[in-house]
Structures are given as structure tokens and as C-alpha cells.
Amino acid sequence: MDQPMPPIARACAGATALLALCAIALQTTINLEPDGSPLAAFALLLRYFTIWSNLAAGLILLGVALGGKPGERVLFALATALSVVALVYHALLAADHHPVGLDWWTNLAFHTIIPAAAIAWWIAWSDRAHLTWRSLPLVTPVPVGYTAFALAYGAASGFYPYFFLDLPTLGWPQLLVNLVGLGLFFMAMGALLLGLRRLTPAARA
């Protein structure tokens, strides 16, 4: 990102960041036990890749809004992670998840609005000069890092946030198959995003 970021791009990044951070704050408040700690409630949210991705979107895009210039690799990994969050939720998890009240609103923000806004921002304003199809492996460190965390947390607590990472139920052979599939899925989503960006004119202001 060598060129100055247009004001409209910074404004849209700031709006998306604000929504992401406010949604996380609201969900933390919703989950807060009567005598519990807000920090503990927030820590429990971090069990989920959805929260990792939305928190990253909030912090990275806030940095953009304040004049920062995150690397193109970071923005590509973020857009891919959010696309996976949205697709996996709506394709595999939504049918068994029925939030109500304020949970409905935060769920909508986490799985639909923020991914859509951040991906649209990436398509419109990210630097198009430095990514090629050879860049696809750049999206895999994110799921690898989260998987390591989820498995370590599950081993310590017995809680596995997603059925495809539930080691005691699946066993190592099936888990390894799932992990390979997950990595390939991230790369496929990254390829889809690169293809979509190639077909979409860049924003000029």
C-alpha cells in the first residue's frame, strides 16, 4: 500500500472496525455472569474462531482508519478468514443455531455483516499489485494457529468449539483428514476471493 488511502476507504474501515469491536463488547456483556469478570467473559469468547476473526477485523481496520498501512498479506488472510467464517456458519452451523434477542444481532454482525463489509473493503481498496495465485499458502497460518489453540484448550478443558475439531469424538485419523480439508478449504476461499477481485474494478476514491 504505497499510495495514500482515500478518505472514504478510511471511513469505511473505521465503520467496520467500530461495528466489530462493539459487537464483541456487547457479546461479552451478554455472556457476563452476575458476579463474573468481564475479562473472563471475553476470554471465553476467544474459544471461537469467529471471535478471533472479528476481533482481528476490528483491530486491523481500526489501524487503517487511524492511518496505518497493514501488509497486503495480512489483509488477504483476514478477508479469507472472514469468508470462511461466513460460509461455514451459514452452510453448516446456522441450521442448529437459533439465537434470540441481542444474541441475534451480534450473531448477524459476526457471521454476515462484518465479513461482508470487510471483504467488500478488501476488494475495493486493497493493493492489487502484490498478490498472485502463488500467494494462496499465505492464508493457512491462521487456521493452523487457531487449530493448535483449540486442540490445546480442548485437551485442558474438555470443550471443543467446533465438531470438526472434536478430537475425542473423531480420533486422530479423522481429525487429520479434517485439518487437511480445512487448509485446502481456506486456500480455495482465498482463490475465490482473488478471482472475484480480478473481476471487480478497484475503487478510485
Side-chain angles (χ1 to χ4, degrees):
M1 289 188 175
D2 298 324
Q3 299 299 320
M5 187 70 65
I8 184 63
R10 296 199 186 281
C12 289
T16 304
L18 182 63
L19 176 59
L21 297 175
C22 286
I24 290 171
L26 177 57
Q27 191 65 57
T28 300
T29 302
I30 293 169
N31 292 1
L32 186 62
E33 297 293 335
D35 297 321
S37 161
L39 184 60
F42 173 70
L44 288 176
L45 285 180
L46 290 176
R47 297 177 296 179
Y48 298 98
F49 185 74
T50 295
I51 301 301
W52 279 42
S53 300
N54 278 268
L55 180 60
L59 295 177
I60 292 169
L61 294 178
L62 179 61
V64 171
L66 295 176
K69 295 182 178 180
E72 178 61 17
R73 295 178 177 184
V74 172
L75 292 172
F76 180 42
L78 175 66
T80 302
L82 288 168
S83 70
V84 170
V85 164
L87 185 59
V88 168
Y89 177 77
H90 289 290
L92 300 179
L93 305 175
D96 297 319
H97 185 220
H98 306 287
V100 297
L102 292 176
D103 275 313
W104 187 89
W105 290 102
T106 56
N107 184 71
L108 179 66
F110 291 145
H111 296 108
T112 306
I113 298 175
I114 295 164
I119 292 168
W121 186 95
W122 178 79
I123 290 173
W125 287 296
S126 62
D127 187 349
R128 300 184 174 214
H130 304 299
L131 290 180
T132 67
W133 302 115
R134 294 181 180 180
S135 304
L136 291 176
L138 297 174
V139 306
T140 57
V142 173
V144 168
Y146 174 76
T147 296
F149 163 80
L151 293 178
Y153 183 86
S157 68
F159 177 82
Y160 292 84
Y162 300 106
F163 67 87
F164 47 83
L165 296 178
D166 189 345
L167 177 58
T169 300
L170 298 172
W172 276 108
Q174 183 60 53
L175 178 66
L176 293 175
V177 170
N178 289 357
L179 294 183
V180 171
L182 186 63
L184 293 175
F185 180 52
F186 266 75
M187 292 179 67
M189 292 304 298
L192 180 63
L193 289 177
L194 287 178
L196 182 60
R197 192 172 70 166
R198 283 173 178 262
L199 296 174
T200 306
R204 297 183 180 275

